[in-house]
Amino acid sequence: MGDWSLSSGFYMRRNTGNVKMGKTWPKILIVNPPIYDFSAYDFWLRPLGALAVAGMLRGQAQLTFYDFLDRRHPAAVNKNTEKDAFGRGRFIEQQVEKPAAFKMIPRYYKRFGLPGEHFEQFLQAGSGFDFVLVQSVMTYWYPGIKEVIAAVRQNCPQAKIVLGGFYATACHSHAQTLGADLVICGSDLKPMWEMIGLTEPKAYCPPGWELYPNLGTGVITLTRGCPFKCSYCYAPVRGERFAARPMEDVAADFEMMKKRGVRNIAFYDDALLYQPEKILFPFLDYMQEHGAGVNLHTPNAMHARLLTLDVARRVVQAGMKTFYLGYESASAEFQKQTGAKLVSNELASAVDALKSAGAAGTNITAYEMLGHPLADVQAIEESMRFAHALGIRIMFSEFSPIPGTPDGELCRKYVDIDEPLNHNKSAFPVVFMGWQKIKYYKTLCRTLNETTFGKSN
Ligand code: B12
Ligand code: SF4
């Protein structure tokens, strides 16, 4: 284990010893890249994949961490990155040139995160790294990874670069063109262990939360995989069996975050409410006992169908403060064709349950899909008005076509989905439906939300 030090203006995680049994510990840098997109907001974002890998390297390597998206980093504070009551907030941003793929999108394209020069100075000030591990999430954010790889090659030419995460998995061939030495596919980290010459620990290691000197926001999962099969989603393609994580591992994750002063925790589960007696309820009981003052959030959406009054009471009692519900559409035909996740009266019952458990309408949001290739049968406006009438917020879940998914494959006739930029959730809906329609729905959404909750929200 080690301690934190502030060196040359950069936070570095240093292990207190660097020689183990006559062997020098490898110097490993872990990077969460900047985002290139039309918009980005810190909606409780944490690079959980990279932190999981950092946890496994704990005590075997000299670890240094660089998170371009850490709004609490000394180089980010006071840069118009204000936060709301639950820790969400804006990133540092800068307008950049739009790639050719986006020329028809009438919006500014931006880079979000700490400035590139800061990272370059950081690399130059460091004593050299043997390995650099780079995180990826959204496929269409790969320009940020490209930037990181170029900076590492330029300033730290001896380092071997390993790329992992969702983009590296779903767009594996594309990811191999970015210049990393190794691209990890899925959760099998064996090639990485071989490259860095270390062994995967046998016992569970919590994510490397200690790499944040000032945590504030954390994320957690209680489960792996998803038991459902929605046609727009990658989970069924990945085929990971749904399973609960052992409660003692989840508790270890929580305790580690608690020690670092966490105030807000977002669930990153795909199906948080599935089999609640076995999975969610024991965690909520644990939180009631150990989690006083910690707010829970569900940005990845909960299944309204599974949100009974009992579930609602328990989540509210355990400190859940914001409630995002997958709604997608009021259309039975759309539901049938995409996986039958929910019908409208199930959304209404979930909202009723939450409100009678004490949740405020302003903290309940229905995600509705926009720009899906089956938009014709989706009844978008009717769905919006239905959710609005329940006294809750509406937020669009803009469609991102993912290769290999049935709905993503349907989009090949509109865009080249082998180019990951075309998966951008702000771009595909515009290409598919046209800017005027998108603008109409977005204005309607804002107006409906403002009618109930006022302008400032
Ligand atoms: C949490 C989550 C979110 C969060 C935060 C995402 C974030 N930036 O961190 C929120 C709710 C904000 C979100 C938003 C969206 N999301 Co999302 N999200 C997820 C989710 C559920 C988990 C991602 C995660 O962090 N997992 C945790 C890690 C631990 O799991 P893992 O990746 O499997 O990690 C293992 C390996 O990959 C590997 N690994 C991972 N990282 C690394 C790094 C290194 C260095 C190495 C070596 C290995 C490695 O090792 C890990 C351990 O085994 C995934 C689905 C899923 N289950 O993966 C969708 C997913 C990534 N999201 C998706 C989508 C569609 C969206 C939205 C577009 C939805 C919408 N329409 O609004 C938005 C986009 C937001 C934006 N601004 O563009 C898609 C991907 C789309 C795409 N084109 O890339 C996914 C795959 C879901 C799906 N529908 O299929 N999302
Ligand atoms: S959209 Fe959600 S419920 Fe449907 S398969 Fe994907 S993760 Fe599961």
Side-chain angles (χ1 to χ4, degrees):
M1 302 296 280
D3 60 345
W4 270 99
S5 62
L6 186 64
S7 146
S8 326
F10 307 113
Y11 280 110
M12 307 265 229
R13 168 75 183 167
R14 292 185 192 286
N15 299 92
T16 43
N18 67 352
V19 177
K20 196 182 183 188
M21 300 205 300
K23 240 178 101 185
T24 307
W25 282 8
K27 290 183 192 157
I28 300 182
L29 169 65
I30 300 181
V31 184
N32 186 28
I35 292 173
Y36 282 75
D37 205 337
F38 295 96
S39 64
Y41 189 66
D42 187 356
F43 206 55
W44 303 293
L45 301 193
R46 288 295 190 208
L48 187 55
L51 292 170
V53 174
M56 292 184 242
L57 289 166
R58 188 184 287 119
Q60 309 197 58
Q62 278 190 69
L63 286 187
T64 305
F65 183 50
Y66 192 99
D67 183 354
F68 278 91
L69 303 180
D70 182 8
R71 290 185 303 106
R72 291 180 167 221
H73 191 285
V77 291
N78 303 323
K79 294 271 194 323
N80 196 20
T81 56
E82 83 275 11
K83 61 177 173 61
D84 70 7
F86 296 132
R88 290 163 292 195
R90 291 157 54 115
F91 295 117
I92 299 179
E93 62 176 58
Q94 168 201 0
Q95 197 185 319
V96 294
E97 202 187 321
K98 256 188 273 189
F102 296 144
K103 287 293 182 238
M104 79 302 261
I105 311 295
R107 293 183 63 177
Y108 293 124
Y109 191 62
K110 296 176 184 167
R111 178 192 179 282
F112 298 88
L114 296 178
E117 306 77 60
H118 186 272
F119 182 56
E120 293 193 12
Q121 286 162 19
F122 159 83
L123 290 173
Q124 287 153 13
S127 52
F129 297 103
D130 303 310
F131 301 97
V132 178
L133 311 185
V134 185
Q135 161 84 56
S136 71
V137 189
M138 301 304 150
T139 54
Y140 46 89
W141 288 349
Y142 77 80
I145 296 167
K146 230 169 141 174
E147 179 195 303
V148 168
I149 292 177
V152 172
R153 289 286 183 238
Q154 175 80 30
N155 296 285
C156 201
Q158 78 288 351
K160 293 260 185 263
I161 302 176
V162 182
L163 173 60
F166 182 69
Y167 157 72
T169 302
C171 301
H172 194 67
S173 320
H174 190 276
Q176 282 174 320
T177 65
L178 295 197
D181 296 290
L182 176 66
V183 181
I184 299 286
C185 188
S187 304
D188 179 9
L189 302 181
K190 221 157 116 202
M192 179 194 82
W193 292 111
E194 277 166 15
M195 177 179 261
I196 60 182
L198 296 173
T199 41
E200 185 166 356
K202 299 254 179 311
Y204 176 67
C205 308
W209 291 113
E210 72 275 28
L211 295 171
Y212 287 99
N214 189 357
L215 186 59
T217 293
V219 302
I220 204 161
T221 57
L222 309 185
T223 58
R224 288 183 217 293
C226 178
F228 304 106
K229 281 191 168 38
C230 302
S231 54
Y232 43 82
C233 176
Y234 198 77
V237 179
R238 194 171 175 154
E240 189 177 11
R241 209 173 51 84
F242 176 81
R245 295 183 56 222
M247 184 56 205
E248 60 272 26
D249 294 356
V250 175
D253 293 358
F254 173 71
E255 291 303 330
M256 186 132 195
M257 290 189 271
K258 190 171 150 189
K259 256 196 229 152
R260 313 291 315 176
V262 76
R263 308 302 308 157
N264 292 286
I265 295 184
F267 289 104
Y268 272 13
D269 295 82
D270 283 329
L272 181 67
L273 303 189
Y274 195 66
Q275 300 178 336
E277 291 81 7
K278 280 205 317 222
I279 306 171
L280 180 64
F281 293 170
F283 176 73
L284 297 177
D285 292 344
Y286 184 89
M287 287 303 286
Q288 291 235 44
E289 214 175 304
H290 303 272
V294 176
N295 303 317
L296 301 174
H297 308 280
T298 57
N300 201 36
M302 296 187 283
H303 290 79
R305 178 175 288 170
L306 305 177
L307 218 163
T308 60
L309 185 57
D310 184 26
V311 170
R313 284 194 180 128
R314 286 172 186 254
V315 293
V316 169
Q317 270 166 17
M320 194 175 281
K321 292 294 186 323
T322 63
F323 311 86
Y324 293 86
L325 305 173
Y327 178 43
E328 277 80 53
S329 162
S331 151
E333 186 53 31
F334 183 86
Q335 295 294 347
K336 198 172 111 202
Q337 291 199 39
T338 58
K341 208 156 154 185
L342 175 85
V343 291
S344 293
N345 63 5
E346 291 167 325
L347 178 73
S349 320
V351 169
D352 263 1
L354 283 171
K355 286 189 173 174
S356 42
T362 185
N363 292 328
I364 307 175
T365 304
Y367 282 137
E368 186 174 338
M369 208 164 254
L370 186 66
H372 187 279
L374 298 178
D376 279 357
V377 298
Q378 198 192 340
I380 299 174
E381 185 159 343
E382 186 192 327
S383 314
M384 291 169 77
R385 292 192 184 280
F386 182 85
H388 168 70
L390 300 175
I392 60 173
R393 289 179 186 279
I394 309 159
M395 198 166 151
F396 282 124
S397 170
E398 290 155 281
F399 181 69
S400 165
I402 309 170
T405 62
D407 296 355
E409 292 300 324
L410 278 181
C411 299
R412 283 196 188 272
K413 50 182 181 237
Y414 308 109
V415 291
D416 170 14
I417 63 167
D418 296 324
E419 166 49 64
L421 288 177
N422 290 326
H423 311 164
N424 187 294
K425 71 169 179 59
S426 303
F428 180 78
V430 175
V431 172
F432 178 61
M433 295 176 81
W435 176 241
Q436 288 312 321
K437 264 197 189 159
I438 295 295
K439 220 167 93 181
Y440 171 77
Y441 288 126
K442 287 197 167 177
T443 308
L444 177 63
C445 181
R446 197 174 48 246
T447 310
L448 292 175
N449 285 338
E450 283 177 4
T451 312
T452 314
F453 302 107
K455 255 198 167 28
S456 59
N457 291 296

